[in-house]
Amino acid sequence: MASTSCEHVPDPIEALGRRLAAEQYFADEGLLTAAHLSLTLGRPLLLEGEPGVGKTEIAKVLARVHDRELIRLQCYEGLDAAQALYEWDHPKQLLAIRTCEAENRPVGELYDESFLMERPLLRALRVPCVLLIDEIDRADSEFEAFLLEFLSDFQITIPELGTIAAAERPIVIMTSNRTRELHDALKRRCLYHWIAFPDSSREKRIIESRVPGLPEDAAKTLVAAVAGVRDLDLIKPPGIAESIEWGQAAKVLLHEGADWPSALKRSLGLLVKEQEDTETVLAHAEGLGL
Ligand SMILES: Nc1ncnc2c1ncn2[C@@H]1O[C@H](COP(=O)(O)OP(=O)(O)O)[C@@H](O)[C@H]1O
Ligand SMILES: [Mg+2]
């Protein structure tokens, strides 16, 4: 165990850490505790943090670990309740009407299951799942109010069909990149955790796991460099995904005979993706060990 091996960490939390690590997800004690409590108390887990720190990924991994379906509601500006819950298939209803008219039959029921298009939140009430409500800060605040209601009752009423309640409560993970503040009421429903960038030992474990075959020295330089790069005042500091991709690219160049650390310097385009940021990093190359 990386940062979860401290003696005071209770067993179930350590066990969760091991199960996530087996899926190549390495969490620190704070995140593991938050996830454990959210699972045990049945409260939604609200995760905030910079892009690329593993907010979305932990929902995917938890779904695998719990052998549940992952249902993802990707939020965006203008997302409304209908798009999140269900919609009636109007073209199909029209076709049914036309067909009945053409065949001179009475038009049957148009608002039953066969015309219902299930969207993520409705599906989440019907199958055991991990419900990922991703990037909630992109949705409008009216949608947040609606979501609050959904998360309080875990049931919805479809006027034509009646009330549908969750057979089994979904495990709910909500993420936000904090482009705006969320409502207090929504936060109150959730267990909150801020995911920070990983410390060097955790990032090294991630790199070792996700870039197998990268020499130890290279991994060390990379991890130290990434930490240094994140301390620079960049437009877009690199996330864990960028750090992994940087490692993969450097590994390719190394295998093709490139020197170290020039392999890292040459594959910088996978770590930072703004020209200004590249210039800043290059200006600090020596201090970063590149
Ligand atoms: N704790 C972690 N352990 C291993 N890999 C991670 C971890 N956090 C992030 N990653 C890697 O970084 C990628 C980006 O993470 P993601 O969850 O999409 O970031 P976010 O949703 O916070 O923007 C993931 O696909 C995964 O490959
Ligand atoms: Mg994400």
Side-chain angles (χ1 to χ4, degrees):
M1 291 303 311
S3 44
T4 61
S5 57
C6 325
E7 274 174 16
H8 62 275
V9 179
D11 272 352
I13 294 178
E14 205 177 308
L16 177 63
R18 273 195 298 270
R19 292 169 81 191
L20 297 184
E23 297 287 334
Q24 296 192 298
Y25 189 91
F26 301 91
D28 65 9
E29 197 186 312
L31 177 56
L32 286 175
T33 307
H36 171 68
L37 288 176
S38 144
L39 293 166
T40 320
L41 301 173
R43 292 282 282 271
L45 179 60
L46 170 59
L47 298 174
E48 284 193 328
E50 300 280 328
V53 290
K55 302 182 296 296
T56 302
E57 183 78 1
I58 194 174
K60 297 181 185 172
V61 172
L62 281 175
R64 289 207 293 277
V65 161
H66 289 271
D67 201 18
R68 282 175 171 224
E69 186 176 325
L70 175 77
I71 298 178
R72 181 177 186 167
L73 176 65
Q74 173 63 54
C75 299
Y76 52 88
E77 211 183 316
L79 172 65
D80 64 27
Q83 292 155 333
L85 279 173
Y86 68 90
E87 284 167 289
W88 290 108
D89 191 342
H90 295 308
K92 196 173 168 190
Q93 288 171 322
L94 261 180
L95 191 67
I97 295 171
R98 297 240 167 86
T99 311
C100 291
E101 281 172 357
E103 295 172 355
N104 239 331
R105 288 189 284 118
V107 179
E109 184 51 69
L110 288 173
Y111 289 93
D112 67 15
E113 216 29 78
S114 59
F115 296 101
L116 188 69
M117 295 192 293
E118 192 181 64
R119 299 295 183 228
L121 294 185
L122 174 57
R123 182 154 184 82
L125 297 179
R126 291 172 151 179
V127 296
C129 67
V130 170
L131 172 62
L132 165 63
I133 302 171
D134 216 6
E135 305 187 340
I136 174 74
D137 51 328
R138 289 184 181 214
D140 312 309
S141 61
E142 301 86 77
F143 185 76
E144 239 181 86
F146 155 76
L147 204 56
L148 179 63
E149 206 179 300
F150 178 86
L151 294 176
S152 310
D153 304 340
F154 285 104
Q155 66 173 38
I156 63 156
T157 299
I158 303 180
E160 298 85 351
L161 294 182
T163 297
I164 300 173
E168 192 173 340
R169 272 195 173 213
I171 295 171
V172 181
I173 310 285
M174 221 180 314
T175 80
S176 163
N177 287 325
R178 216 184 199 178
T179 55
R180 65 173 176 83
E181 278 288 323
L182 303 179
H183 290 293
D184 285 344
L186 187 65
K187 283 188 177 167
R188 271 199 298 274
R189 283 242 27 92
C190 303
L191 205 146
Y192 176 86
H193 183 76
W194 171 266
I195 306 189
F197 284 121
D199 64 18
S200 293
S201 77
R202 190 155 63 90
E203 188 138 31
K204 185 151 170 287
R205 294 195 71 206
I206 296 173
I207 294 298
E208 280 165 357
S209 163
R210 303 239 177 184
V211 194
L214 186 69
E216 163 96 21
D217 280 359
K220 264 192 192 150
T221 327
L222 179 143
V223 162
V226 171
V229 167
R230 287 191 190 127
D231 282 341
L232 299 173
D233 191 19
L234 299 188
I235 300 169
K236 196 187 167 305
I240 298 175
E242 284 75 23
S243 162
I244 294 170
E245 283 172 12
W246 197 28
Q248 285 163 343
K251 186 176 132 185
V252 169
L253 293 184
L254 272 184
H255 284 179
E256 290 168 359
D259 297 330
W260 191 262
S262 86
L264 269 185
K265 204 166 172 179
R266 283 163 55 201
S267 45
L268 205 56
L270 283 142
L271 188 72
V272 282
K273 304 192 173 171
E274 301 281 343
Q275 174 55 19
E276 294 89 328
D277 287 351
T278 309
E279 281 167 15
T280 310
V281 172
L282 286 176
H284 292 81
E286 211 171 320
L288 294 165
L290 301 179

